């Protein structure tokens, strides 16, 4: 029986493809949300490091991540196996991610200097393992399909995986820490990390097995590494999309890293901490399935601009408003959650920029492009984490100190004011991005599809 092909000459993706691909970001959250949400407070309140030491650690580790991400992208692009360019790295990287997640949430019996060295080794190792797994994962839609609607659905699926994973993490992590630890927080975090990391491993491997790479690049079609670097920086729209991702993640992940301090020490209502930590993610999960349709109606760029305005405005109102009023907090966090509507936009805009460049110049730099995006996100996270912790420290916060209104103000600045401002700054690169003209990307992909079919025909003739 002849298989049905879509207008791009490819077999359509199935529900299973979308589900399994989304499972990959769910698995990422089992490790990475644990890190981004709870590692700072683990280091300061359990591991025993000062806020300044934690800020410097995170800055150094993320800067190194920023260096090794492009290295990873270059390696991926130069890899040619029967399983593709990207999937083998997910298989290997996921195993290392499990190991370093567990080690990172382990408190060794060393002195203060030894513990700090241990924290550097394990956290940097964790970041490198995440790079090895996540950079190829995020690049997979580029090689799975030419259909922009399928790309949008794949990116929406991974955003669904992300938000559901974040909800589950925030709902259960502290409960698991208490249950496993029975009064010993160090043991609780360690056991929780083991459980979540082992659950993530088979999910990553499922992604590697089922997400087939159907758009291939031959060795002879690849230029020099230096040329690939030049192409990344020549691609204006790709740079704009990456800077949008930079500012979006700066605000979002930076806030996540200090939000728990805000709910514990400013709002001071322990009953709702878990609910507050996952409120915006619940809203994001509910609206993400509608994102592909909204993107089709409004365009990716305008959807992203709307998202940045929603997130920025809601955090500024939360900063200036009566944050100890629980009803007020609920309303503002629900509004903030609507900003998740643009979740797939960054990756989709990058894919459009890569395809547009391929159409114009006949070369693809997908692996390198997504590695640079990963680099920028990690640098953004590093700066945000360090900056927000330094701000808290400047206002007098340290583990175990008595809380004062001045310290509370510093936590509020770090958790709401600074990320709110960053979201508005992130609108600037979106205003420069110009691939949202009606019909433009449809024409690009039609030409690329025609070129692919011509190459396949020529290969068949040989």
């Amino acid at each position: 029986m002849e298989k049905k092909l879509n207008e791009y000459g490819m077999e359509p993706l199935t529900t299973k493809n979308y589900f399994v691909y989304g499972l990959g970001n769910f698995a990422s959250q089992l490790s990475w949300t644990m890190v981004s949400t709870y590692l700072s407070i683990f280091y300061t309140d359990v591991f025993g490091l000062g806020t300044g030491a934690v800020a410097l650690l995170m800055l150094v580790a993320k800067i190194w991540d920023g260096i090794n991400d492009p290295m990873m992208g270059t390696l991926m692009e130069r890899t040619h196996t029967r399983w593709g360019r990207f999937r083998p790295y997910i298989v290997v990287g996921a195993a290392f991610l499990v190991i370093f997640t567990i080690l990172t949430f382990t408190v060794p019996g060393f002195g203060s200097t030894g513990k700090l060295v241990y924290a550097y080794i394990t956290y940097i190792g964790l970041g490198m393992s995440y790079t090895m797994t996540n950079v190829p994962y995020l690049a997979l839609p580029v090689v799975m399909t030419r259909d922009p609607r399928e790309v949008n659905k794949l990116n929406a699926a991974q955003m669904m995986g992300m938000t559901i994973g974040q909800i589950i993490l925030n709902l259960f992590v502290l409960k698991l820490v208490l249950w496993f630890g029975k009064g010993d927080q160090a043991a609780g975090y360690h056991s929780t990390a083991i459980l979540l990391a082992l659950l993530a491993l088979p999910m990553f491997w499922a992604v590697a097995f089922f997400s087939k790479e159907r758009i291939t690049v031959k060795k002879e079609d690849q230029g020099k590494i230096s040329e690939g670097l030049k192409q990344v920086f020549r691609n204006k729209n790709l740079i704009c999309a990456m800077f949008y991702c930079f500012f979006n993640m700066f605000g979002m992940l930076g806030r996540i890293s200090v939000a728990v301090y805000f709910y514990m020490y400013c709002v001071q209502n322990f009953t709702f901490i878990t609910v507050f930590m996952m409120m915006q993610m619940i809203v994001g999960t509910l609206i993400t399935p509608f994102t592909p349709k909204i993107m089709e109606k409004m365009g990716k760029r305008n959807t992203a601009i709307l998202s940045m305005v929603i997130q920025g405005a809601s955090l500024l109102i939360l900063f200036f408003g009566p944050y100890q009023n629980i009803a007020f907090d609920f309303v503002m966090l629900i509004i903030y959650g609507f900003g998740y509507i643009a979740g797939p936009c960054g990756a989709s805009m990058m894919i459009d920029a890569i395809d547009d460049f391929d159409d114009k110049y006949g070369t693809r730099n997908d692996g390198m492009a997504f590695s640079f995006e990963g680099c920028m996100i990690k640098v953004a996270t590093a700066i945000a984490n360090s900056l927000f912790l330094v701000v808290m420290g400047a206002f007098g916060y340290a583990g175990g100190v008595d809380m004062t209104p001045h310290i509370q103000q510093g936590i509020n600045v770090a958790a709401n004011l600074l990320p709110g401002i960053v979201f508005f700054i992130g609108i600037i690169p979106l205003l420069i991005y110009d691939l949202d003209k009606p019909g433009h990307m449809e024409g690009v992909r039609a030409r690329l599809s025609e070129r692919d079919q011509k190459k396949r025909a020529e290969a068949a003739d040989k």
Side-chain angles (χ1 to χ4, degrees):
M1 182 178 174
E2 189 175 344
K3 293 180 179 178
K4 181 182 177 182
L5 302 180
N6 61 22
E7 61 198 278
Y8 299 94
M10 306 181 79
E11 196 175 339
L13 297 179
T14 65
T15 302
K16 181 176 77 173
N17 293 130
Y18 299 125
F19 174 79
V20 172
Y21 184 70
L23 203 61
N25 212 346
F26 180 89
S28 287
Q29 302 318 305
L30 296 184
S31 166
W32 204 244
T33 294
M34 177 84 171
V35 171
S36 61
T37 306
Y38 297 103
L39 188 60
S40 293
I41 201 164
F42 170 77
Y43 275 152
T44 58
D45 292 13
V46 180
F47 201 87
L49 299 178
T51 54
V54 175
L56 182 60
L57 162 61
M58 291 189 167
L59 184 61
V60 170
K62 292 301 180 182
I63 287 174
W64 169 243
D65 273 350
I67 294 170
N68 74 58
D69 267 34
M71 293 165 57
M72 185 69 222
T74 301
L75 183 62
M76 282 163 43
E77 288 196 337
R78 265 62 192 171
T79 298
H80 298 272
T81 74
R82 57 185 291 194
W83 302 283
R85 292 182 293 156
F86 303 154
R87 293 188 295 157
Y89 291 104
I90 297 175
V91 173
V92 177
F96 281 107
L97 189 61
V98 167
I99 293 168
F100 278 100
T101 298
I102 295 169
L103 291 176
T104 299
F105 283 96
T106 299
V107 180
F110 304 149
S112 56
T113 301
K115 287 170 73 174
L116 184 59
V117 172
Y118 176 88
Y120 269 89
I121 293 171
T122 53
Y123 187 49
I124 288 173
L126 177 66
M128 294 178 69
S129 303
Y130 186 71
T131 293
M132 191 175 186
T133 308
N134 205 55
V135 169
Y137 170 74
L138 291 176
L140 276 176
V142 184
V143 294
M144 288 176 66
T145 180
R146 287 274 190 213
D147 190 331
R149 291 163 298 190
E150 291 184 336
V151 169
N152 289 343
K153 288 179 181 178
L154 285 169
N155 285 320
Q158 61 102 347
M159 285 301 300
M160 280 286 289
M162 182 189 80
T163 54
I164 292 173
Q166 289 175 345
I167 290 170
I168 289 176
L169 259 290
N170 285 295
L171 186 61
F172 291 109
V173 162
L174 292 180
K175 291 182 175 66
L176 287 170
V177 169
L178 291 173
W179 187 75
F180 280 126
K182 295 179 173 58
D184 183 346
Q185 286 195 77
Y189 274 106
H190 180 68
S191 298
T192 302
I194 292 173
L195 173 65
L196 298 178
L198 291 177
L199 286 174
L201 185 60
M203 299 182 197
F204 280 123
W205 284 350
V207 172
F209 183 80
F210 290 107
S211 301
K212 307 296 184 184
E213 299 182 32
R214 302 190 293 174
I215 298 172
T216 59
V217 178
K218 296 180 180 178
K219 289 183 182 180
E220 55 269 25
D221 291 336
Q222 291 182 304
K224 297 178 180 179
I225 293 174
S226 58
E227 284 300 313
L229 288 170
K230 289 179 184 176
Q231 288 165 12
V232 168
F233 291 105
R234 283 174 60 197
N235 193 334
K236 179 196 76 175
N237 289 298
L238 179 61
I239 295 296
C240 289
M242 288 195 292
F243 268 105
Y244 155 66
C245 293
F246 173 89
F247 288 114
N248 191 35
M249 292 297 105
F250 190 113
M252 188 181 298
L253 296 181
R255 183 180 192 275
I256 285 174
S257 70
V258 295
V260 66
Y261 294 95
F262 176 70
Y263 300 130
M264 287 177 66
Y265 302 123
C266 294
V267 178
Q268 294 183 326
N269 188 311
F270 290 84
T271 304
F272 291 104
I273 286 178
T274 300
V275 178
F276 285 150
M277 289 296 293
M278 66 182 187
M279 179 59 66
Q280 65 268 26
M281 298 151 196
I282 293 173
V283 178
T285 302
L286 294 174
I287 65 174
T288 296
F290 303 101
T291 298
K293 288 291 184 185
I294 293 171
M295 289 164 63
E296 288 178 24
K297 292 284 186 182
M298 293 184 59
K300 297 162 191 172
R301 185 188 72 163
N302 291 339
T303 303
I305 290 174
L306 176 63
S307 165
M308 299 296 262
V309 170
I310 291 172
Q311 291 179 104
S314 59
L315 290 185
L316 292 181
I317 294 171
L318 188 59
F319 172 78
F320 289 107
Y323 58 74
Q324 290 188 326
N325 182 308
I326 300 302
F328 171 78
D329 292 337
F330 267 108
V331 171
M332 297 321 301
L333 290 173
I334 289 171
I335 294 173
Y336 178 64
F338 277 99
Y340 277 60
I341 197 166
C345 288
S348 293
M349 288 192 296
M350 284 184 60
I351 291 170
D352 285 352
I354 291 167
D355 283 346
D356 182 69
F357 196 87
D358 188 7
D359 179 46
K360 289 175 180 173
Y361 302 104
T363 57
R364 297 186 69 81
N365 50 11
D366 37 27
M368 194 172 289
F370 275 92
S371 69
F372 267 97
E373 186 222 13
C375 161
M376 293 185 74
I377 288 174
K378 287 177 178 177
V379 170
T381 307
I383 297 172
N385 288 353
S386 300
L387 174 63
F388 297 169
L389 283 171
V390 166
V391 168
M392 286 168 48
F395 277 79
Y397 177 82
V401 302
D402 292 332
M403 202 53 49
T404 66
H406 185 65
I407 295 174
Q408 288 176 319
Q409 178 73 355
I411 295 172
N412 192 16
V413 168
N416 296 312
L417 179 62
L418 293 181
I421 292 171
V422 167
F423 283 126
F424 280 105
I425 295 173
I427 295 173
I428 296 172
L430 291 170
L431 297 175
I432 303 171
Y433 182 89
D434 63 4
L435 292 182
D436 255 15
K437 300 182 183 75
H440 176 75
M441 289 311 303
E442 287 80 357
V444 166
R445 292 200 169 93
R447 289 189 292 273
L448 291 175
S449 178
E450 185 179 344
R451 189 185 72 188
D452 289 346
Q453 292 181 54
K454 184 177 179 181
K455 284 185 177 180
R456 285 196 292 268
E458 289 173 352
D461 290 341
K462 291 179 182 179

